[in-house]
Amino acid sequence: MNESSNLDELLASRASHGRRKIEPCTVVIFGASGDLTARKLIPALYHLALENALPQPYRIIGFARRDKTDESFRAELREALNQFSRTKPVNEEVWSKFAANLSYCQADISDAAGYRKLKELIDRSGDERLKTNLLFYLATNPSQFGEISQHLSEVGLLQKCENGGCMQRLVVEKPFGHDLPSAKELNAELIRHAHESQIFRIDHYLGKETVQNILTFRFSNSIFEHLWNRDTVDHVQITVAEKLGVGSRGGYYEESGAMRDMVQNHVLQVLSLIGMEPPVSLEAESVRDEKVKLLKSIRPMTPADMAKNIVRGQYFAGEVDGDPRPAYRSEPKVNPKSNVETFVAMKLWIDNWRWSGVPFYLRTGKNLPVSASEVRIQFKPAPNILFAARSGVKLDPNSITLRLQPNEGITLRFNGKVPGAATKLQPVRMRFSYDSEFGAYTPEAYERLLLEAIASDATLFIRRDEVETAWDIVDAIRDSWTGRPLTNREFYLAGTWGPTAADELLAADGREWKNPQPVR
């Protein structure tokens, strides 16, 4: 059996539920009265139960300050499921069995007595495994992560595990810090009470099937992996576009901006998967090692480099699909003189053997014409000595586009001859569609991520050094903007593809952005 076949089997085995035995587990959700629990976590856990993917037995305990009984907690979640479930109607038989495993612990996060109450509730489990195999999901403000882990440790629910085989895990939501110092401080707080292997930093983007498929596409198909390097690739474009403006999140966005909100996590995550070297295995640490290596290979920039290669932007009033949009500075809770970026574009260089000399162009923004995430691998043009010399045409360079969302798929673009006597060439496309090939079913990202966390598989979660490396990159860029107001060429009309400066970034290299097309 050849190496490619071996890798195919490994990838297939990881994708199946049988890749690792999932033991009975108690899931405790802190912040159980919050929006994330109702919109994402409980629907995800319900769908795992619907698919018989959860271990047997299991328990789910909500921990929050509001006064509720088990029955009222279940009733609220049932109502939320009617609204947020991706499959409707809700299966009453499955819900009934699922709800029987739901409990509520009313307590304040800062109250030590509440954790003793939680421990008593867990200790009443009939199965010994439900008392020790514990997953704590911290759906709270990051400032509370350290306090929660300390209280859990003090009552014996969280034991620091130094040698692997940990039975207690912490799942923590982003934003994981707001800069490198705060991320390091937060990491230090968690590490006091839990080993790094017990900390699962979640980024829902990594739970998307199409993002996970990047590794499968690259490393199980030798015809593409052979092309994935400086010898054939001219440049790479990564676009994460959003049609929505900041809306009611103006206060949050004033603190984050597009750089913190999107680049530090989602965009750099995609970059690391697109550019990383093949891992020595599909074990979590091997995959995460290569992602960190890729991020560490990004060339540091001087202030002069940043001024030339980094573009920020901010939208002013316009229209998206005929819908009027206010200027960012007119959004609720936004400073009317704000210089916060709602758009970022940049050119990065990766200084390693594979990518030496290949520019990576990244961009993300709000109030753009479509909501879409895609990666375009643009190959070097063919020599213009045959068809171009004869027919005077300019050959279109080949490309592979990975559409991550929506209308998920992969497109190969190449040149073909138009039927007829004349030698006329035209770009054509071969497209693979997830919906057409596998059906419309695509699980929510949180379903996959919760299942991986229950199975203690950290592959799709972010390691400490990865978080800190990403913040190091982002902080340097943000520092270069300090004290610099936005210029006219950095504003863009809502409903367009960003400021003029972003187009000029590629035009200086004789290239242009390839804009994602709307779903038809």
Side-chain angles (χ1 to χ4, degrees), residues 301-311 347 349 501 504-505 508:
M301 285 187 274
T302 65
D305 291 332
M306 292 183 194
K308 183 172 65 173
N309 296 325
I310 309 292
V311 172
K347 177 171 70 173
W349 301 95
E504 293 171 349
L505 176 66

Side-chain angles (χ1 to χ4, degrees), residues 1-16 212-226 276-283 286-287 354:
M1 185 179 291
N2 61 33
E3 184 177 348
S4 179
S5 297
N6 284 329
L7 188 50
D8 282 340
E9 289 188 3
L10 284 169
L11 289 162
S13 69
R14 264 201 51 76
S16 71
Q212 296 168 37
N213 195 54
I214 292 173
L215 296 187
T216 308
F217 178 75
R218 286 191 55 195
F219 300 132
S220 70
N221 297 292
S222 60
I223 59 172
F224 298 123
E225 175 58 18
H226 179 68
M276 64 181 272
E277 293 299 315
V280 297
S281 76
L282 291 172
E283 292 300 314
S286 295
V287 174
R354 180 186 293 266

Side-chain angles (χ1 to χ4, degrees), residues 90 130 150 304 472:
V90 174
L130 296 178
Q150 179 179 339
D472 195 30

Side-chain angles (χ1 to χ4, degrees), residues 293-314:
K293 285 181 188 176
L294 189 284
L295 294 178
K296 288 182 177 293
S297 297
I298 294 174
R299 182 186 301 173
M301 285 187 274
T302 65
D305 291 332
M306 292 183 194
K308 183 172 65 173
N309 296 325
I310 309 292
V311 172
R312 58 177 172 165
Q314 186 187 103

Side-chain angles (χ1 to χ4, degrees), residues 235-255:
H235 71 277
V236 177
Q237 295 186 22
I238 299 175
T239 298
V240 180
E242 297 181 279
K243 285 176 68 172
L244 296 176
V246 300
S248 61
R249 300 173 71 227
Y252 163 76
Y253 219 77
E254 279 289 276
E255 296 295 323

Side-chain angles (χ1 to χ4, degrees), residues 36-230:
L36 180 65
T37 300
R39 292 177 64 93
K40 295 294 184 181
L41 302 184
I42 292 300
L45 289 165
Y46 160 77
H47 282 105
L48 290 175
L50 184 66
E51 294 157 17
N52 295 314
L54 288 177
Q56 296 297 329
Y58 67 90
R59 289 189 70 188
I60 301 168
I61 300 174
F63 186 108
R65 178 169 49 85
R66 296 178 188 172
D67 189 15
K68 300 177 187 178
T69 63
D70 289 351
E71 289 72 23
S72 63
F73 181 55
R74 292 165 185 164
E76 286 181 11
L77 296 179
R78 178 65 178 81
E79 188 63 31
L81 205 57
N82 286 338
Q83 184 176 358
F84 301 117
S85 172
R86 63 172 172 79
T87 59
K88 296 175 181 177
V90 174
N91 185 309
E92 292 299 339
E93 182 181 355
V94 173
W95 166 255
S96 179
K97 293 178 181 177
F98 179 76
N101 294 295
L102 284 172
S103 304
Y104 186 75
C105 181
Q106 188 272 323
D108 193 279
I109 281 174
S110 61
D111 183 9
Y115 294 83
R116 293 192 292 271
K117 181 179 175 182
L118 174 64
K119 188 175 190 307
E120 291 172 1
L121 181 59
I122 292 173
D123 285 344
R124 289 201 296 268
S125 300
D127 192 305
E128 281 297 318
R129 296 169 294 182
L130 296 178
K131 301 177 186 178
T132 55
N133 190 13
L134 307 174
L135 181 71
F136 300 106
Y137 198 112
L138 277 53
T140 65
N141 190 301
S143 63
Q144 297 172 310
F145 291 171
E147 183 178 17
I148 293 171
S149 58
Q150 179 179 339
H151 282 305
L152 289 172
S153 177
E154 288 172 349
V155 297
L157 287 174
L158 177 63
Q159 299 175 7
K160 189 169 185 178
C161 170
E162 300 289 352
N163 301 312
C166 304
M167 296 298 287
Q168 297 94 40
R169 286 90 69 208
L170 297 171
V171 180
V172 295
E173 278 277 345
K174 77 177 188 73
F176 200 83
H178 61 271
D179 55 15
L180 181 57
S182 63
K184 285 184 173 181
E185 182 180 352
L186 188 51
N187 278 324
E189 287 184 7
L190 292 173
I191 293 298
R192 275 199 291 270
H193 307 291
H195 189 266
E196 173 62 28
S197 61
Q198 296 173 268
I199 303 169
F200 289 63
R201 299 172 188 83
I202 197 168
D203 182 344
H204 74 272
Y205 221 68
L206 289 178
K208 295 182 181 296
E209 288 288 340
T210 46
V211 175
Q212 296 168 37
N213 195 54
I214 292 173
L215 296 187
T216 308
F217 178 75
R218 286 191 55 195
F219 300 132
S220 70
N221 297 292
S222 60
I223 59 172
F224 298 123
E225 175 58 18
H226 179 68
L227 304 174
W228 220 264
N229 57 64
R230 69 185 187 282

Side-chain angles (χ1 to χ4, degrees), residues 471-518:
W471 274 122
D472 195 30
I473 295 167
V474 165
D475 283 357
I477 295 170
R478 286 180 54 83
D479 288 347
S480 73
W481 294 338
T482 302
R484 283 178 46 209
L486 290 163
T487 62
N488 288 339
R489 60 193 290 273
E490 293 173 312
F491 286 95
Y492 63 99
L493 182 70
T496 64
W497 279 105
T500 302
D503 294 328
E504 293 171 349
L505 176 66
L506 268 69
D509 297 334
R511 302 182 176 104
E512 62 181 8
W513 291 106
K514 303 296 183 181
N515 297 327
Q517 298 304 304

